[in-house]
């Protein structure tokens, strides 16, 4: 009998990828994926710990799921609840203390143990916690990926982080850096392409620190990109998230040499102030970052950039913040994410006594976001009239519309028949908005149907 599995994913793309892997690991036990928590036999919250808000969201969702579990119980049915992901790793058994209706807690490195945990939870009635960082990595223990991710797929090549930025929980929740072997990555990429992927985004918390070993040779991320570019049927390659310190010469060069590598890079800088960057332990200053940007532009002149910013880091002065605004003016981003600094338990910056008042954080965030919005709109407007290939992979807002991604990661909506879904289509851009472009199909000779 099939059982219903509902997975809710929070946080970054690595979690989205892990959720697919968890689905695959539970399939042989008769669990099939469901879009809603109603009536589910197993609910997994794949959580994020990066900011306080992300964590609070998990607890408020848990409250709602508890009600669902109780109404199932009243009908004489059972529901298991698991908390996985980075909150699972960071809080462990504390979660069960705070929410005793949670049956299992597991960290991001323990997903291969899910089937056994579920069996134990049924037998023992809950209280199962699995947080070890095993010596054999989960990728080697999980079954091959079987669920199709559609035309645009994620592939984790690297996990963990050794950078220890002073604000960040990731090195604690995901553990030390680990790179999968080139062989495993290529095999998985070929499977994704067989399942209909035209675009693959290579993922890692620190993806450009990738250094995989094969037959005594060390491969860089650029080597992986060059290898995957040879796969027939794979049309687009992206990677995220990168650290400026690890933008090696070969990676910068391949942006100019490999047309399948898309001209868009998410390269977080966090702050434009050297003093703050130093105290963030970012291991780069603004000049180093700006030099990388200039070299990437030289390699691939049309490359567009995105970044993450933190405002209100402890001790950030008006001058420091102005340095950030000035860096943004200099780079001209196509898109960016910005956050108010959120103190995280166990990180050095959380115990810094120069915490910034909430109203100052709010005011700085607003100013930064106004500037970033302005740049994003300007970038989108500069695309109107251009022809681009767009990967149509989702429903649009209205009937008869599809939504896709431009080479520069912009969302493009277009009136197109359903048959165009999952295809790469040449389009002319006809309109620009803050978060999207409108396009029209000009010619479908470049049309490639996903299998
Ligand atoms: N590995 C990536 C992503 C880390 S998490 C990187 O190095 O860029 C994604 C973003 O969340 C970070 O880039 C940072 O901008 C933000 N972030 C991390 N910790 C935070 C904190 N304590 N408060 C606010 N934002 C934070
Ligand atoms: Fe966090 Fe810094 Fe590692 Fe990114 S590089 S995951 S911000 S510690
Ligand atoms: Fe969040 Fe963990 Fe990703 S803290 S951003 S889910 S690595």
């Amino acid at each position: 009998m099939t059982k219903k599995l509902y997975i809710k994913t929070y946080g970054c793309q690595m979690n989205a990828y892990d959720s697919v892997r968890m689905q695959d690991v539970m399939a042989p036990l008769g669990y099939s994926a469901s879009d809603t928590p109603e009536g589910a036999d197993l609910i997994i919250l794949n959580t994020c710990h990066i900011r306080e808000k992300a964590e609070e969201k998990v607890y408020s969702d848990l409250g709602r799921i508890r009600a669902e579990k109780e109404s199932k119980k009243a009908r004489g049915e059972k529901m298991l609840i698991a908390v996985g992901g980075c909150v699972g790793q960071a809080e462990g058994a504390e979660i069960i203390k705070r929410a005793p209706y949670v049956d299992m807690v597991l960290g991001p490195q323990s997903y291969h143990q899910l089937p056994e945990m579920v069996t134990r939870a049924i037998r023992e009635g809950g209280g199962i916690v699995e947080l070890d960082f095993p010596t054999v990595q989960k990728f080697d223990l999980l079954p091959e990926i079987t669920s199709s991710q559609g035309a645009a797929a994620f592939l984790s090549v690297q996990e963990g982080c050794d950078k220890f930025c002073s604000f960040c929980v990731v090195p604690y929740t995901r553990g030390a850096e680990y790179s999968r072997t080139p062989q495993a990555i290529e095999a998985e990429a070929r499977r994704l392409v067989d399942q209909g992927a035209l675009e693959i985004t290579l993922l890692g918390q620190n993806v450009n620190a990738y250094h995989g070993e094969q037959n005594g040779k060390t491969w860089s991320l650029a080597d992986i990109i060059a290898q995957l570019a040879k796969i027939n049927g794979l049309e687009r390659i992206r990677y995220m998230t990168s650290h400026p310190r690890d933008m090696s010469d070969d990676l910068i060069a391949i942006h100019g040499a490999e047309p399948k590598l898309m001209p868009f890079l998410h390269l977080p800088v966090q702050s434009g102030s050297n003093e703050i960057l130093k105290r963030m332990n970012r291991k780069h200053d603004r000049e180093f970052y700006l030099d990388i940007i200039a070299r990437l532009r030289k390699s691939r002149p049309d490359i567009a950039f995105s970044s993450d910013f933190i405002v209100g880091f402890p001790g950030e002065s008006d001058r420091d913040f102005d340095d950030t605004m000035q860096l943004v003016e200099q780079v001209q981003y196509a898109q960016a994410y910005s956050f108010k600094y959120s103190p995280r338990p166990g990180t050095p910056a959380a115990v810094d006594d120069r915490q910034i008042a909430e109203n100052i954080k709010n005011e700085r965030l607003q100013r930064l976001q106004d500037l970033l919005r302005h740049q994003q709109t300007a970038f989108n407007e500069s695309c109107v009239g251009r022809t681009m290939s767009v990967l149509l992979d989702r429903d649009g807002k209205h009937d008869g519309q599809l939504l896709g991604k431009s080479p520069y990661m912009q969302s493009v909506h277009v009136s197109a028949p359903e048959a165009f879904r999952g295809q790469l289509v040449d389009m002319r851009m006809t309109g620009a908005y803050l978060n999207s472009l409108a396009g029209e199909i000009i010619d479908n000779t470049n049309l490639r149907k996903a299998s």
Side-chain angles (χ1 to χ4, degrees):
M1 208 184 77
T2 55
K3 297 182 197 125
K4 265 179 80 176
L5 165 64
Y6 172 70
I7 305 181
K8 176 156 183 182
T9 309
Y10 309 68
C12 62
Q13 278 86 353
M14 310 230 22
N15 264 11
Y17 174 84
D18 283 347
S19 291
V20 177
R21 301 300 298 256
M22 283 196 266
Q23 209 170 290
D24 285 350
V25 87
M26 292 311 293
L29 277 82
Y31 286 88
S32 76
S34 149
D35 293 338
T36 56
E38 283 79 37
D41 298 285
L42 171 61
I43 292 188
I44 303 172
L45 301 187
N46 190 7
T47 62
C48 174
H49 200 237
I50 202 80
R51 284 169 291 274
E52 199 179 350
K53 264 202 189 132
E55 184 186 344
E56 281 167 0
K57 181 98 184 43
V58 173
Y59 282 104
S60 70
D61 285 352
L62 270 175
R64 270 193 296 278
I65 287 166
R66 173 195 199 169
E68 184 65 25
K69 180 171 179 159
E70 278 168 3
S71 70
K72 259 202 115 178
K73 198 173 166 190
R75 298 197 299 269
E77 296 166 19
K78 224 175 149 66
M79 173 194 274
L80 291 175
I81 302 175
V83 175
C86 292
V87 177
Q89 187 66 43
E91 299 194 353
E94 275 304 304
I95 296 173
I96 297 184
K97 247 192 219 159
R98 194 167 151 185
Y101 46 91
V102 170
D103 302 282
M104 291 163 272
V105 176
L106 69 167
Q109 306 306 327
S110 307
Y111 298 147
H112 53 284
Q113 283 163 299
L114 248 178
E116 188 204 327
M117 291 177 75
V118 168
T119 313
R120 277 181 59 203
I122 293 170
R123 197 174 57 222
E124 296 167 27
I128 317 289
V129 179
E130 197 52 74
L131 303 173
D132 280 353
F133 287 124
T135 43
V136 184
Q137 294 294 327
K138 70 176 179 200
F139 297 117
D140 303 327
L141 297 166
L142 285 166
E144 284 182 358
I145 202 155
T146 49
S147 298
S148 168
Q149 296 182 51
F154 293 131
L155 198 175
S156 284
V157 301
Q158 180 278 339
E159 189 151 29
C161 181
D162 294 343
K163 292 283 188 294
F164 290 92
C165 299
S166 62
F167 51 82
C168 183
V169 293
V170 171
Y172 312 98
T173 62
R174 292 276 174 170
E177 270 178 18
Y178 167 80
S179 298
R180 296 176 73 185
T181 63
Q183 205 170 17
I185 293 164
E186 186 176 347
E188 189 166 320
R190 288 187 183 277
R191 266 195 302 280
L192 292 170
V193 172
D194 287 345
Q195 289 161 357
L198 295 175
E199 173 179 300
I200 291 181
T201 303
L202 305 174
L203 297 179
Q205 267 89 18
N206 212 336
V207 71
N208 57 343
Y210 177 87
H211 55 280
E213 302 287 331
Q214 192 160 293
N215 304 329
K217 184 188 167 239
T218 303
W219 290 52
S220 67
L221 186 65
D223 296 331
I224 293 286
I225 292 167
Q227 184 68 15
L228 298 191
K230 294 182 197 155
I231 299 177
N232 278 334
L234 179 60
E235 305 290 337
R236 289 173 154 195
I237 301 171
R238 304 178 186 276
Y239 60 93
M240 74 179 296
T241 294
S242 297
H243 193 285
R245 197 73 243 177
D246 296 318
M247 282 311 299
S248 53
D249 293 348
D250 63 343
L251 192 53
I252 293 174
I254 202 170
H255 274 278
E258 179 46 67
K260 287 186 179 178
L261 182 58
M262 290 292 101
F264 176 86
L265 185 64
H266 181 60
L267 192 62
V269 66
Q270 313 298 353
S271 167
S273 152
N274 280 343
E275 179 56 29
I276 295 296
L277 286 170
K278 198 155 88 202
R279 289 202 286 108
M280 284 178 163
N281 192 29
R282 280 294 289 181
K283 302 175 169 63
H284 63 81
D285 60 15
R286 74 182 269 137
E287 290 75 23
F288 184 90
Y289 180 84
L290 290 170
D291 182 54
I292 295 281
I293 295 277
R295 288 169 57 204
L296 280 158
R297 282 195 164 129
K298 206 161 157 208
S299 176
R300 176 80 200 228
D302 69 328
I303 195 166
F305 292 104
S306 140
S307 178
D308 292 339
F309 296 92
I310 295 178
V311 302
F313 183 82
E316 184 187 68
S317 67
D318 285 337
R319 269 240 330 260
D320 293 320
F321 178 68
D322 286 345
D323 285 348
T324 299
M325 294 289 279
Q326 201 263 330
L327 178 136
V328 174
E329 292 280 11
Q330 202 167 329
V331 175
Q332 297 286 325
Y333 289 97
Q335 182 197 310
Y337 303 93
S338 43
F339 314 99
K340 287 188 279 182
Y341 169 69
S342 170
R344 306 306 290 132
T347 60
V351 290
D352 192 309
D353 56 13
R354 287 165 290 184
Q355 301 294 327
I356 302 293
E358 198 59 22
N359 62 330
I360 295 177
K361 283 188 192 170
N362 285 333
E363 190 248 331
R364 287 180 186 165
L365 187 67
Q366 184 149 14
R367 276 179 60 203
L368 176 60
Q369 289 188 340
D370 283 346
L371 177 59
L372 291 168
R373 264 196 295 270
H374 179 77
Q375 292 190 353
Q376 188 171 325
T377 307
F379 178 70
N380 288 347
E381 282 170 354
S382 76
C383 295
V384 175
R386 284 182 62 183
T387 299
M388 297 182 193
S389 83
V390 176
L391 182 57
L392 292 171
D393 64 338
R394 278 160 298 148
D395 281 332
K397 226 197 245 158
H398 307 291
D399 276 356
Q401 265 194 351
L402 289 175
L403 196 65
K405 282 270 180 270
S406 78
Y408 309 103
M409 281 296 274
Q410 297 143 299
S411 293
V412 183
H413 46 90
V414 62
S415 296
E418 180 59 26
F420 278 53
R421 181 195 291 273
Q423 300 184 26
L424 209 45
V425 181
D426 284 344
M427 281 199 227
R428 184 181 301 110
M429 300 303 123
T430 56
Y433 310 91
L434 171 60
N435 290 313
S436 65
L437 290 168
E440 60 184 18
I441 295 169
I442 46 164
D443 131 32
N444 54 9
T445 50
N446 187 24
L447 194 144
R448 293 207 26 133
K449 193 162 172 50
S451 49

